Amino acid sequence: MSEVVVQQLLAERRELMVSNERLRLELDELQRRGRGEDPRLQRLQAEVARLRAALEQARLERDRLEAGIQEALRQLESGPK
């Protein structure tokens, strides 16, 4: 069960990283064009910020789950009390 959750979070993290990179490249391209303030620029910057926040949350959740798994394994290894 926990392995499935970790795998799902890792997959979501990969998707967020790809989306973040795609938007970063698009933003870089818009800035290189130098057409002045493109109306999409603010939207892209907000989307990049949202994706970064979502990625950070996914990382925190992954770390929390990994710590829980490690604790469960430690308890299993120490045997019944």
Side-chain angles (χ1 to χ4, degrees), residues 7-79:
Q7 291 303 317
Q8 288 173 338
L9 284 171
L10 290 173
E12 181 180 340
R13 178 180 176 264
R14 282 189 296 274
E15 290 173 16
L16 290 170
M17 289 176 73
V18 168
S19 293
N20 189 39
E21 182 64 16
R22 179 184 50 78
L23 289 170
R24 188 190 64 73
L25 291 171
E26 189 176 338
L27 178 61
D28 288 347
E29 176 63 26
L30 288 173
Q31 289 173 337
R32 269 195 303 274
R33 289 182 191 168
R35 293 187 287 155
E37 184 67 26
D38 190 302
R40 297 177 293 173
L41 186 61
Q42 285 184 340
R43 180 186 60 80
L44 289 170
Q45 288 172 330
E47 181 69 6
V48 167
R50 185 191 68 74
L51 288 168
R52 285 186 177 146
L55 179 58
E56 180 62 24
Q57 287 301 313
R59 286 177 175 159
L60 290 171
E61 180 68 10
R62 179 205 58 205
D63 293 346
R64 187 185 67 77
L65 288 169
E66 284 177 351
I69 290 167
Q70 292 301 318
E71 176 62 20
L73 289 172
R74 187 189 62 73
Q75 288 177 7
L76 286 171
E77 288 171 353
S78 67

